[in-house]
């Protein structure tokens, strides 16, 4: 007899997209209970401004979300297997509606966005361990950020060249110390 715990089957892109749709709907309703079960204990998200949030902070933040979503469309799914227990799913999300801003005032939901979630097998279910989003901007749009000017390489003047020696130009680079 098999006494082991049930193991979730390998996901399909459709199955993960169904989970993403549930998550997006739950987010719009501020349903933090849904995320408490869907997110892995190792979950991390990079929120606005580059702020890193773990599962507890994410669930707490979602509890305060209030949205009025008229429509939501999740398209262009692409799934990649990282290993037998880990899959990445990216997709395009298009929203029409508003959500409360940090100051509590309604703001237009960013749209369209490119989203990615990393899903891991946890016994008999799949849980999200990472989620990230980026606003899709048409580079030809007047709202697109300007391309920074290219930096020119510093020019050597004759005095610098005359004062340098071959030994100083070929010295080994300084060794850096590893970052913790």
């Amino acid at each position: 007899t098999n006494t082991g715990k049930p193991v979730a089957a390998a996901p399909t892109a459709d199955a993960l997209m169904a989970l993403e749709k549930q998550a997006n709907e739950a987010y719009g309703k501020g349903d933090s209970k849904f995320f408490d079960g869907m997110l892995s204990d190792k979950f991390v998200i990079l929120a606005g401004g580059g702020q890193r949030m773990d599962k507890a902070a994410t669930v707490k933040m979602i509890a305060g979300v209030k949205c009025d979503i008229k429509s939501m469309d999740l398209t262009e799914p692409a799934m990649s297997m990282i290993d037998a227990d880990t899959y990445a799913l990216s997709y395009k999300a298009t929203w029409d509606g508003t959500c409360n801003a940090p100051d509590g005032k309604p703001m237009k939901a960013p749209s369209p966005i490119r989203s990615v979630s990393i899903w891991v097998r946890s016994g008999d279910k799949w849980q999200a361990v990472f989620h990230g989003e980026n606003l899709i901007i048409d580079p030809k749009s007047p709202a697109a950020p300007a391309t920074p000017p290219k930096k020119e390489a510093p020019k050597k003047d004759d005095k610098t060249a005359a004062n340098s020696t071959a030994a100083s130009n070929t010295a080994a680079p300084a060794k850096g110390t590893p970052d913790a």
Side-chain angles (χ1 to χ4, degrees), residues 154-164:
K155 295 180 183 175
K156 289 185 180 180
D157 61 24
D158 292 336
K159 291 177 187 173
T160 306
N163 291 331
S164 66

Side-chain angles (χ1 to χ4, degrees), residues 7-11 83-87 119-127:
V7 175
D83 64 31
D85 296 319
T86 313
Y87 288 79
W119 293 89
V120 294
R121 186 188 326 253
S122 179
D124 64 345
K125 62 183 178 178
W126 289 92
Q127 291 186 305

Side-chain angles (χ1 to χ4, degrees), residues 63-84:
V65 169
K66 304 217 181 334
C67 295
D68 178 20
I69 301 299
K70 294 171 182 47
S71 68
M72 170 187 64
D73 194 23
L74 308 181
T75 59
E76 302 175 23
M79 184 175 84
S80 297
M81 183 175 101
I82 296 170
D83 64 31

Side-chain angles (χ1 to χ4, degrees), residues 8-95:
T12 63
D14 288 342
L16 291 182
M17 282 298 288
L19 290 172
E20 291 287 349
K21 184 174 183 185
Q22 289 176 330
N24 278 278
E25 289 171 349
Y27 177 85
K29 296 174 186 173
D31 182 358
S32 59
K33 276 188 154 187
F34 173 83
F35 286 92
D36 197 41
M38 188 203 77
L39 302 179
S40 162
D41 289 339
K42 296 178 182 179
F43 179 80
V44 67
I45 187 171
L46 294 177
Q51 178 188 10
R52 180 184 161 149
M53 295 184 351
D54 63 4
K55 177 181 177 177
T58 302
V59 170
K60 181 179 178 183
M61 179 269 303
I62 290 170
V65 169
K66 304 217 181 334
C67 295
D68 178 20
I69 301 299
K70 294 171 182 47
S71 68
M72 170 187 64
D73 194 23
L74 308 181
T75 59
E76 302 175 23
M79 184 175 84
S80 297
M81 183 175 101
I82 296 170
D83 64 31
D85 296 319
T86 313
Y87 288 79
L89 177 73
S90 67
Y91 58 94
K92 179 180 177 182
T94 307
W95 298 79

